[in-house]
Amino acid sequence: MSELDLYDYQLPRELIAQHPLSQRADARLMVVDRRSGSIEHHYVRDLPSLVDPNDAMVFNDSRVIPARLVGLRTQTGGRWQGLFVRKDNETGLWEILSRTRGKLKVGEQITLEDRDARPVETLEVIARLPDGHLAVRPGSDGEPAELLERFGRVPLPPYIREGQMVDDDVKTYQTVFARDPGSIAAPTAGLHFTPELLKQLQAKGVQSHAVTLHVGIGTFRPVQTETLDEHEMHYEWASISAETAEKLNAARAAGGRVLAVGTTSVRTLETVAAENDQLVGWTGMTNLFVRPPYKFGAVDRMLTNFHLPKSTLLMLVSAFAGRELIMEAYAAAIAEEYRFFSYGDAMLII
């Protein structure tokens, strides 16, 4: 058995959530206790009774941009799809993933269509980049977030309706506290929260804090190397303010616990703690690969969704709770018919 096989499991396709629940907080919540090894079944709406008044919750406030692109090869009329990855601030060029029949040539143009299939923008292919990416120049000036709002689509992962959005996804694939545009996939553990639930947690005395990590293209890429040591994590931009760092340090010093909502919040906090021995104000790029054995320096509790087999995210939660306990919890989730992945149910690890 390879290292990767240790994180494999068989999931019935019908347990992959294709739509969110009508009420976000009605998602099921599995509570996994690392000390006792116990597994309990609750709902996200029960969170106020499951956390302590001196706990500090940390959310990722990154906002999903409509990064999926659809259009035509201008010269041939052939169908084209793509995904915005990032903008090079020095050149103004966009880096995109591209999918079409044949091979796009430098100088070729793409006609983008809006959500009503009307032509709205052009992209000119400037260069071919490593990993099959393209450097393109948009026909209009402006920041990507502004332009993509005009013609982009919600970048759903392929296991949700083969990536095909419906109108409701514009709202449901976004957290209620999303603020800073930049992610091309949602920090999905945060999708379970509502304004009402946040108010209930505040009334309990739980602190709420935000960090930012812009989820990048690497979230869609599986581990393909023979060993985990060979796997190269993608870089993602992340930030934590000095004020937030100070408050989280103070909460822990007073006996409280830091409850990270989502693996993106975990990676942000652990990146900063690993570099500085404590939380400080920080902005930079992180490619932290959290996997067993890993000593956590900033996170005491974690709320997360159920992750794909053999994924780096499954390895992260295994580092936190132990691989055997996590695989036992996943087997229980399948037996209890939990809903999996982005629009699915959640797990609270204490």
Side-chain angles (χ1 to χ4, degrees), residues 240-250 272 279-281:
I240 178 175
S241 70
E243 180 184 5
T244 295
E246 183 178 344
K247 289 181 178 178
L248 293 174
N249 289 333
V272 178
L279 294 176
V280 298

Side-chain angles (χ1 to χ4, degrees), residues 33 69 72 75 82 91-92 95 198 214 217 223 249 315 324 345:
D33 190 317
L69 306 171
L72 305 169
Q75 185 175 356
T91 64
E95 181 178 341
L198 292 171
H214 292 323
I217 189 63
V223 177
N249 289 333
M315 296 168 196
E324 291 185 0
D345 296 320

